[in-house]
Amino acid sequence: MLKIGHVLLLEDVNQKEGDTYKCKVVDLDADTIWIDLPKNMITERTKLLKTSTKLTAQVIIEENNLYLFHTEVLGKANKEIPMLCLHNPGKEEMKKIQRRQFVRIETAIDLSLSFPQSQLRFASISKNFSAGGCAVLLPDGILLKEKEVGEGIFVLPMQDGSFHYLQLPFVVKRIWKKDNLTFASVQFSDVEEYDERHITRFCFERQLAYKKKGLLKK
């Protein structure tokens, strides 16, 4: 399940406002995970975590599914590179994060929405985005109703420079205003597994990038 080369995001469970660290799996066996020295997501400085430090780890494996597991630092070693040794809890202790549990990211992506019943169609941007839905900025003159159903095309810009175009059905859950702007919260419905994997990857990449810039608070 976990493989050499996978990227881990680590957080100290005993620090409520602790930093997030990025590292890579360089070796592993049934009981241990060897990682390169973790880098602070904000400062990019390496961190030699102390032995017995308890951590939570996030990793994307198995076709872009996000998993979380608990581990702790067992020790350190200098082989080809300086490394830390973590406890390997095994596949049974890795919890798959369901898409509706995943973080909602404040981000503006291009989208186009259509509503068969009211025959409305318009292009706009999102205020935020998650695997469960998003908030959409409504252009002037666009009037929607709660519980109205529609379909949208959502453009996800990925970290590698590619774009994924998702065609997703949704239902309008709430209409609200902020700073003289009108937004609609929409909830995705009947999302295919293929699309769900791309959404998870997109949110994970944005979360990682925001933490690196110090823009994402816990």
Side-chain angles (χ1 to χ4, degrees):
M1 188 174 185
L2 192 63
K3 297 181 180 179
I4 295 173
H6 278 147
V7 174
L8 303 182
L9 293 185
L10 303 176
E11 294 183 356
D12 188 336
V13 299
N14 292 319
Q15 295 184 16
K16 292 183 178 180
E17 300 298 329
D19 294 328
T20 301
Y21 299 92
K22 177 183 177 183
C23 62
K24 184 176 291 186
V25 177
V26 295
D27 199 4
L28 77 163
D29 56 36
D31 299 314
T32 57
I33 303 168
W34 288 93
I35 61 172
D36 59 4
L37 293 186
K39 284 188 177 181
N40 188 292
M41 290 294 300
I42 298 174
T43 67
E44 295 192 349
R45 294 178 180 175
T46 57
K47 175 74 171 181
L48 186 60
L49 298 172
K50 295 180 180 180
T51 300
S52 299
T53 300
K54 297 186 183 301
L55 306 163
T56 58
Q58 294 182 57
V59 59
I60 285 186
I61 48 183
E62 290 187 346
E63 297 184 315
N64 293 342
N65 289 314
L66 180 68
Y67 285 79
L68 181 143
F69 62 92
H70 297 280
T71 183
E72 69 175 294
V73 180
L74 301 179
K76 60 182 178 178
N78 283 294
K79 296 183 180 180
E80 295 83 0
I81 59 172
M83 295 188 295
L84 290 180
C85 182
L86 306 181
H87 168 62
N88 187 350
K91 181 179 179 180
E92 295 77 13
E93 298 299 321
M94 293 187 179
K95 179 182 178 182
K96 183 178 178 181
I97 304 301
Q98 300 298 322
R99 63 188 182 93
R100 297 192 187 282
Q101 296 175 293
F102 203 74
V103 65
R104 181 176 295 272
I105 297 295
E106 296 290 322
T107 188
I109 65 168
D110 293 327
L111 51 89
S112 176
L113 306 185
S114 60
F115 298 84
Q117 186 174 0
S118 59
Q119 297 184 341
L120 283 175
R121 177 185 291 271
F122 60 90
S124 188
I125 59 173
S126 67
K127 181 181 184 296
N128 55 48
F129 196 84
S130 76
C134 68
V136 177
L137 174 63
L138 297 183
D140 291 340
I142 295 295
L143 300 176
L144 296 180
K145 297 179 180 179
E146 293 182 0
K147 298 184 180 181
E148 192 168 358
V149 297
E151 187 172 80
I153 296 176
F154 302 85
V155 184
L156 304 185
M158 311 304 285
Q159 194 172 43
D160 61 6
S162 65
F163 292 86
H164 287 294
Y165 295 82
L166 307 179
Q167 188 169 350
L168 303 174
F170 61 82
V171 60
V172 177
K173 300 299 290 185
R174 186 166 68 97
I175 308 294
W176 48 283
K177 291 181 178 292
K178 183 177 181 180
D179 299 329
N180 296 319
L181 299 174
T182 304
F183 297 90
S185 294
V186 304
Q187 179 179 304
F188 301 142
S189 55
D190 194 26
V191 181
E192 297 290 339
E193 183 177 352
Y194 175 80
D195 291 334
E196 187 176 305
R197 290 201 300 265
H198 285 307
I199 296 172
T200 300
R201 166 64 69 175
F202 172 75
C203 291
F204 182 84
E205 290 179 352
R206 285 298 168 100
Q207 180 189 28
L208 189 152
Y210 288 174
K211 284 190 175 184
K212 183 175 181 179
K213 296 177 181 178
L215 299 176
L216 187 63
K217 296 181 180 180
K218 291 185 176 184

